[in-house]
Amino acid sequence: MVTINKDRIKYLLSLHKMTTEEFLSAVSKNLKTALTWEDIYCDTLPVNTLKRVDSVFKKGLFYYADPETPKISKSVSVFFRKDSFETDLNLGSRQRVREFEDLKIRLNTISKMSDVTLKRKLPIYNEHSNPRDVAFAVRDKVLPDFTSVKRDFLKNFINKLGEQNVIVFEFVDTSNRKEKANVDGFYLSPNAIVLKRRQDSFSREIFTLAHELGHYLLNKEEIEEVDVVAFTRQDTSLSVVENWCNAFAFYLLIGQDNATLLDSISRFDGSNDYGHDLVKQISETTNISRLAIFTNLLLQRKLSYDAYQNIKDEILEELRERDARKALQKELDKQNGIKTQGRNPQPIQADIVKDIFSVALSSGVIGEQEYCKAMKIKPSEINAFRYL
């Protein structure tokens, strides 16, 4: 048995916006007899039960033994600052939010201790600003030079934002992770953006990053599934802020010249083959998806709804066929004894994060153990890694 501060469990429920029913369901997973609130809200708990509790909150067992109960404060979490979100967040999403809120707070703390300045460089706008004008105004400051290798472009985009003191984190939901996030990204005040890796669609992840940058420029926190075609579904109505961020992301990625080119065409219909060749060319030179471009044309009423639906279905069918071919090839390779690389993709680590930890290590603010853990390296690699 372990003595705990049971009120810390109540605090964590508030911090994760969890009901007791949801919590009990999570801690009772795979048990023949479900745990009750009375089994858990006690001054002493069996170690195995405490481990089940921590499998939800991931704070470490020592956290629950602290006699001091944390106070609910808006400065601690977006869950205390906001009452609702654009997406109904599952447990995996809430776990990710808490993970990166803790990391953001830690980074900002060691930055101050190491005399690293993370002062905001980009201005704050509001939703009454024209998102197109804002996108063109900040484009040179936040967007890297184009490269057709989308992962490289995404990495360069992340590091370009780092130059503006915007910290971008990326996470990967591996196949063996029990609780997977149902969101694409989120912005956490004052300076952090978090992205979910989209290994099968870097264009979508790039658009998500641009969208969350919109939230940063508006200084409006959100945790969401970014859906550029959401407004085409009858049961969906996007908020003013979401529409602003989608428009900002579109114009940021497409650029002024391409936007002007699309402006010059009054209608996309059978007479110009619905602009397929032009849209493909723009998509290939900007890393924005064809579907996002066609969606914008629909929004501007330059493309009929029926034509848009047909084009959308064609694009989605192409993607399904591509995925089916990949799955078939993987199965054929397996049958023929061909080994495929099974390593999980690694999240992109922003240069600014490495720089903050490196300065903190050199300044004696953190030790080698924390540095190696943050950089995901072995102690024997520390000297070589610091000067990469």
Side-chain angles (χ1 to χ4, degrees), residues 59-70:
K59 300 294 289 184
L61 299 187
F62 288 107
Y63 175 87
Y64 307 91
D66 192 326
E68 183 179 353
T69 302

Side-chain angles (χ1 to χ4, degrees), residues 162-176:
E163 295 173 7
Q164 300 298 323
N165 289 336
V166 181
I167 302 174
V168 181
F169 305 106
E170 187 191 43
F171 70 87
V172 178
D173 270 351
T174 57
S175 57
N176 61 351

Side-chain angles (χ1 to χ4, degrees), residues 354 362 371 382-388:
K354 177 188 169 185
S362 301
Y371 180 81
I382 190 168
N383 289 330
F385 186 84
R386 284 176 64 184
Y387 300 106
L388 284 177

Side-chain angles (χ1 to χ4, degrees), residues 120-127 129 131 134-139 141-142 161 164 166 187 190 193 210-220 244-245 248-249 252:
R120 185 182 182 112
K121 295 183 178 181
L122 296 171
I124 294 177
Y125 297 88
N126 61 57
E127 54 266 40
S129 307
V134 174
F136 297 155
V138 304
R139 196 169 193 262
K141 295 179 181 178
V142 301
L161 290 179
Q164 300 298 323
V166 181
Y187 160 58
I193 292 173
H211 177 103
E212 298 305 329
L213 175 59
H215 279 286
Y216 173 80
L217 292 174
L218 296 178
N219 200 25
K220 299 280 188 181
W244 194 98
C245 291
F248 167 81
L252 180 73

Side-chain angles (χ1 to χ4, degrees), residues 82 95 120 180 213 217 233 251 258 326 376 385:
K82 283 178 65 75
Q95 287 176 338
R120 185 182 182 112
K180 296 179 175 59
L213 175 59
L217 292 174
R233 298 197 299 263
Y251 287 112
N258 286 321
K326 286 183 178 179
K376 294 182 172 59
F385 186 84

Side-chain angles (χ1 to χ4, degrees), residues 315-331:
I315 292 174
L316 294 179
E317 182 59 30
E318 286 177 22
L319 296 175
R320 281 192 288 269
E321 290 177 357
R322 181 200 67 182
D323 292 341
R325 287 194 299 271
K326 286 183 178 179
L328 177 60
Q329 187 60 53
K330 187 175 181 180
E331 183 60 30

